Amino acid sequence: MATFLPVLRLPAAKSVEDSRMTVLDHLNALRRALIIVVLGWALTTAIAFTVWGRVLQLLIHQGGVGAVYYTTPAGAFALALKISLYLGFVIAAPLIIQQVWWFVSPGLHRHERRLIVPLIGATFAFFAIGIAFAMFMLPLFLRILSGFAPANLHFLPFVDDYINFVLVLVIGFGIVFELPVVLYTLGRMGIISSGWLYKHRLYWVVGLGILSALGTPGADPVTPFFMFIPLYAFFESTALLLKVTGR
């Protein structure tokens, strides 16, 4: 994963203090970033396709579901493609994150652009933490959800449904765990403040609850709850960090 970062160094984009980018400049920058991201994702997806079977075994073992089943002749290939795409996205995450920050960097002031490299590292770190947290909690999620079934009702795991649940869960946790990076960045840019966050805490609690429901698969109340708890902790800790740093 780290091989992309030395090759695609952050360009010396001009800050807003130096010049204003035109709409055409922004579109060209967006096109360049999208091309790099798509090519990088395609490459990592091809690499992931060579190990998708091992990843499937890991997900099955981590969930403790035993044997899984597919129902159509083309089911195995479709599953391989799906796992490869998701795994390719995870492997390409450092490149994607770097390109996102490269795209927004021209709109930042000089003192704000000094934070880009640390923020790239923080963005990837929280994405990885979210994925690791989801994988660690996966057996507990499945045990709790299976506990809603009566004694005479047994879980028959079809591989497509199971992998959909796991992959959406894992990627969802990785994305929403970017909350502290987003809040801290907005705070450093002066868009929000710790006082504003505390004043609107109730709205944030409701919003984080909705985000947790949307960011987890299924309609159960369990997985959103386990996403909401760390998100609220991130909210409070980031607001405190902004307050301590005078933001």
Side-chain angles (χ1 to χ4, degrees), residues 199-218:
K199 180 180 179 180
H200 299 88
R201 179 187 277 124
L202 179 60
Y203 296 102
W204 275 95
V205 170
V206 174
L208 292 178
I210 296 174
L211 178 62
S212 300
L214 296 175
T216 51

Side-chain angles (χ1 to χ4, degrees), residues 26-103:
H26 281 294
L27 291 177
N28 287 333
L30 178 60
R31 182 182 62 180
R32 175 190 180 278
L34 288 176
I35 290 174
I36 293 176
V37 166
V38 170
L39 291 178
W41 191 1
L43 176 61
T44 53
T45 298
I47 296 173
F49 193 81
T50 64
V51 296
W52 76 271
R54 297 180 183 179
V55 174
L56 174 62
Q57 292 301 320
L58 172 64
L59 297 178
I60 293 173
H61 174 75
Q62 183 67 16
V65 296
V68 292
Y69 307 89
Y70 64 94
T71 57
T72 63
F77 176 76
L79 179 66
L81 185 59
K82 179 184 301 183
I83 293 177
S84 300
L85 284 170
Y86 276 89
L87 182 59
F89 178 82
V90 173
I91 298 175
L95 174 65
I96 297 172
I97 292 168
Q98 187 266 347
Q99 287 300 306
V100 170
W101 280 109
W102 172 83
F103 178 71

